[in-house]
Amino acid sequence: MNNKLRLHGFNNLTKSLSFNIYDICYTKTEKERQEYIEYIDELYSADRLTKILTDVVDIIGANILNIARQDYDPQGASVTILVAEHEVPPSEDLMQEKPGPLRDTVVAHLDKSHVTVHTYPESHPHGGISTFRADIDVSTCGLISPLKALNYLIHSFDSDIVTVDYRVRGFTRDVDGVKHYIDHNINSIQKYLTEDTRNAYQMIDVNVYQENTFHTKMLLKDFELDNYLFGEGVKTMDADERAEVEAKLRKEMLEIFYSRNMP
């Protein structure tokens, strides 16, 4: 795909980037569980999520048409942005297989595309584990590719586990009438992440190249118990309790990473 395609009419390819991020925490008491939920709910409010998604729209070179956002009771938030392509085609840099930028500001509803995020703060009284999940979808049509936003999005959340799916759907025709089912090079989603991100996570790729479908799972390598405690931290625990809590947290993370319950 090194040479530019000369297309007949509009580029009808749909490019969809979907991913889930998970943040895990140990909350020993009901009070700590409630404080964690309130903390997450405030940190990832509809206002802040709107800011993140507007940055995404700017990164992928689109225009915002409409923004819909909502905070929920008792917790959670959703933001949907419709976007439109710029009249000027994206630069070559946006089409290359490499990480996108990290932005200080962002802009969001697209007439050909959309960006959405939904949050799910969750806890259970048994076991003391609280898990926050955010589902993010960036879907574009035409020349815009959502992959350039991935690096920024992962840096925007405190992510212990990340699952990423990217798929190109449909086809577009060149001037000779030949159908093309993808218009850019891609070997792995990992190519769109910076080196520091790749080094921070254990990663597994499952790619179906003939279907233009790409999947990557990420598990944070570094494990410092104090980073997963909500309350007074490790200093209040003896060695046995620390070992028990660490085992619970690691099990939760592995179950989510491998999508299966473990004994």
Side-chain angles (χ1 to χ4, degrees):
M1 308 300 298
N2 292 326
N3 297 322
K4 290 184 179 179
L5 291 175
R6 294 185 61 204
L7 301 181
H8 172 74
F10 176 65
N11 187 330
N12 291 307
L13 291 170
T14 297
K15 301 158 189 172
S16 299
L17 174 68
S18 301
F19 71 103
N20 310 114
I21 70 99
Y22 298 87
D23 177 74
I24 314 300
C25 185
Y26 178 75
T27 50
K28 184 176 181 179
T29 67
E30 178 59 36
K31 181 175 181 291
E32 289 178 0
R33 281 192 291 274
Q34 194 56 44
E35 288 175 349
Y36 172 74
I37 293 295
E38 290 173 359
Y39 162 77
I40 285 293
D41 213 34
E42 181 176 350
L43 183 63
Y44 298 112
S45 66
D47 283 345
R48 179 161 185 259
L49 294 173
T50 299
K51 170 66 168 60
I52 291 172
L53 294 193
T54 52
D55 285 344
V56 167
V57 174
D58 192 40
I59 288 169
I60 64 176
N63 290 312
I64 296 171
L65 300 178
N66 177 267
I67 300 175
R69 60 187 179 186
Q70 181 65 54
D71 286 303
Y72 297 108
D73 185 13
Q75 65 259 340
S78 296
V79 179
T80 300
I81 294 173
L82 295 180
V83 297
E85 278 192 22
H86 282 311
E87 294 180 0
V88 179
S91 66
E92 284 296 317
D93 187 63
L94 282 176
M95 302 297 288
Q96 293 176 4
E97 190 180 24
K98 65 179 184 178
L102 299 177
R103 299 298 297 267
D104 293 327
T105 60
V106 182
V107 201
H109 191 195
L110 317 177
D111 63 351
K112 301 170 185 172
S113 315
H114 67 270
V115 184
T116 66
V117 60
H118 305 285
T119 67
Y120 304 89
E122 180 265 356
S123 66
H124 195 276
H126 303 315
I129 301 294
S130 294
T131 302
F132 166 74
R133 183 178 106 236
D135 294 348
I136 298 146
D137 291 278
V138 185
S139 182
T140 64
C141 294
L143 295 172
I144 292 176
S145 173
L147 283 166
K148 287 299 181 180
L150 180 60
N151 198 55
Y152 167 79
L153 283 167
I154 289 176
H155 279 78
S156 298
F157 296 88
D158 294 325
S159 310
D160 295 310
I161 303 105
V162 184
T163 62
V164 189
D165 294 287
Y166 178 68
R167 185 173 182 187
V168 181
R169 295 181 174 86
F171 64 86
T172 190
R173 293 183 188 272
D174 64 22
V175 292
D176 296 320
V178 177
K179 293 188 286 293
H180 295 268
Y181 299 91
I182 193 166
D183 62 353
H184 63 285
N185 292 321
I186 176 172
N187 294 292
S188 169
I189 290 171
Q190 295 188 38
K191 295 281 190 178
Y192 291 87
L193 301 174
T194 51
E195 185 177 358
D196 64 311
T197 301
R198 295 196 303 270
N199 290 337
Y201 288 88
Q202 171 188 337
M203 295 190 184
I204 297 175
D205 277 353
V206 181
N207 299 324
V208 186
Y209 295 102
Q210 63 270 31
E211 297 293 336
N212 294 321
T213 299
F214 307 86
H215 176 73
T216 298
K217 296 197 289 189
M218 306 165 57
L219 176 66
L220 193 65
K221 294 177 182 177
D222 185 42
F223 187 92
E224 182 64 42
L225 184 56
D226 246 341
N227 295 335
Y228 294 87
L229 302 180
F230 205 83
E232 297 187 30
V234 172
K235 63 182 180 181
T236 64
M237 297 178 172
D238 59 28
D240 289 342
E241 186 177 9
R242 286 198 299 270
E244 179 185 357
V245 171
E246 182 172 332
K248 287 181 177 181
L249 287 164
R250 287 187 179 278
K251 179 183 178 184
E252 178 81 357
M253 293 169 70
L254 289 172
E255 286 184 341
I256 294 171
F257 183 68
Y258 290 110
S259 301
R260 60 176 61 94
N261 294 324
M262 297 180 177

